[in-house]
Amino acid sequence: MTEMIEVLVVDDHPMFRQGVVHSLSQEPGFRVVGETASGEEALALAQALLPTVVLLDISMPGWNGIVTAERIAMACPATVIVMLTSSEDKDKLLAALKAGARGYVLKGVSARELAQVLRAAVAGEVYVSPSIAAEMLVSLTQRKAPDPLQELTDRERTILSLIGRGRTNREIGDELHLAEKTIKHYVTNILQKLQVRSRVEAALLASRGP
């Protein structure tokens, strides 16, 4: 039997939050274990409930979603964090991913789409809503050299491909039979060569292909 995905929903708009809770509760394989309107309470609930996923808004009074994501990621490393927000600001997207979020979903998605995203995030994939991902790709390709991927060695290309599939440094090391420290060094070189600031930016740039 498939293990239930337990979700904590965090949003300061009661009607929207309750709608998400109701929608996810109707999806097979999901159980909403808590809801709250504040980042501070979200951290306390995450520590107490240890949900599979925390679904976070960005704009909230008190701790915003990015601060909350960072603190939950530190306190509950096994919990997957996914942002559900109306903000299409690329800087907020990058900040959220840097804080530990594995997904960035724009409000307006259907319950079925949201459920699919959460399943993918739990499986280790990184998800960014297509519209904002496309904007990031345009921004990245406009400021980069014509073919930055050609600067990578074959080994670096392999590691970049695994990053794009949501693998951690430890998992990449296990697959390639290399030390985690060695993978970290490769990742640093990849980011420098592609002139990007994060693993997600690098994976997005690579996804456009040659």
Side-chain angles (χ1 to χ4, degrees), residues 85-139:
T85 177
S86 58
S87 175
E88 298 188 51
D89 187 309
K90 293 187 290 294
D91 290 336
K92 288 183 179 178
L93 161 62
L94 294 174
L97 295 172
K98 184 177 180 181
R102 193 173 289 175
Y104 195 95
V105 186
L106 295 179
K107 290 180 177 179
V109 296
S110 69
R112 180 169 297 180
E113 289 173 318
L114 180 58
Q116 289 174 342
V117 170
L118 297 186
R119 290 189 186 100
V122 170
E125 297 179 27
V126 176
Y127 178 89
V128 177
S129 283
S131 60
I132 191 169
E135 289 182 16
M136 281 189 65
L137 278 173
V138 170
S139 175

Side-chain angles (χ1 to χ4, degrees), residues 136-178:
M136 281 189 65
L137 278 173
V138 170
S139 175
L140 288 167
T141 54
Q142 283 178 343
R143 73 168 188 258
K144 299 292 171 281
D147 290 301
L149 296 176
Q150 291 187 0
E151 296 294 321
L152 302 183
T153 64
D154 289 342
R155 175 69 80 183
E156 288 168 343
R157 286 173 182 268
T158 299
I159 291 172
L160 180 57
S161 175
L162 292 171
I163 289 173
R165 289 157 59 186
R167 301 289 197 276
T168 64
N169 286 350
R170 182 185 296 274
E171 291 168 340
I172 294 171
D174 289 344
E175 187 162 335
L176 300 181
H177 307 292
L178 294 172

